[in-house]
Amino acid sequence: MPKLPEDCETMVEVREGVDALDAELVALLAKRFGYMRAAARIKASRDAVRDEARKASVIAAAVAEAQARGIPADVIADIWERLVEGSIAYEFGEWDRIRD
C-alpha cells in the first residue's frame, strides 16, 4: 500500500502513490462510464443525451468541490469539461449501438 502524501520522503514513494491513485481513478471512471451506458439505455430520445443544464451543473459541482478541497478549480473545470464532453460522446455512441 502506498504511503499517504504527507508521509512520503522519496520520489519513489510519491510515484508509487500517484501510480496507485491513477489506477483507482481509471476504475472510478470506468464506473462513471457505466452510468453513461445506463443513461443511454434509459433515455427514450437521442435528443435527451445532450443536456447543457446538467453539464453546467456537473462542472459547477466539481469546481465547488475543488475549491472546498483547496485544489486548482480552473484545472478541475478543464478536466470536467473534457470528461463531460467525452461522456456525452460515449453516451451518443451507446445510444446508437443499443438501437441499431
Side-chain angles (χ1 to χ4, degrees), residues 58-73 76 80:
V58 168
I59 294 171
V63 167
E65 187 68 23
Q67 290 168 334
R69 292 177 179 270
I71 61 174
I76 296 303
W80 253 253

Side-chain angles (χ1 to χ4, degrees), residues 29 31 56:
L29 289 169
K31 187 174 184 178

Side-chain angles (χ1 to χ4, degrees), residues 21-81:
L21 189 56
D22 284 351
E24 289 180 49
L25 287 169
V26 171
L28 288 171
L29 289 169
K31 187 174 184 178
R32 190 183 196 286
F33 276 87
Y35 284 109
M36 297 304 96
R37 284 190 301 278
R41 175 177 43 80
I42 292 166
K43 290 178 182 175
S45 165
R46 193 175 195 278
D47 292 339
V49 172
R50 177 169 289 281
D51 181 342
E52 290 298 329
R54 173 66 179 156
K55 176 185 170 183
S57 173
V58 168
I59 294 171
V63 167
E65 187 68 23
Q67 290 168 334
R69 292 177 179 270
I71 61 174
D74 59 333
V75 173
I76 296 303
D78 289 345
I79 292 168
W80 253 253
E81 172 70 28

Side-chain angles (χ1 to χ4, degrees), residues 1-4 8 10-24:
M1 171 158 239
K3 290 185 174 185
L4 295 173
C8 291
T10 68
M11 283 308 300
V12 169
E13 293 169 342
V14 168
R15 289 176 179 144
E16 287 173 349
V18 168
D19 292 348
L21 189 56
D22 284 351
E24 289 180 49

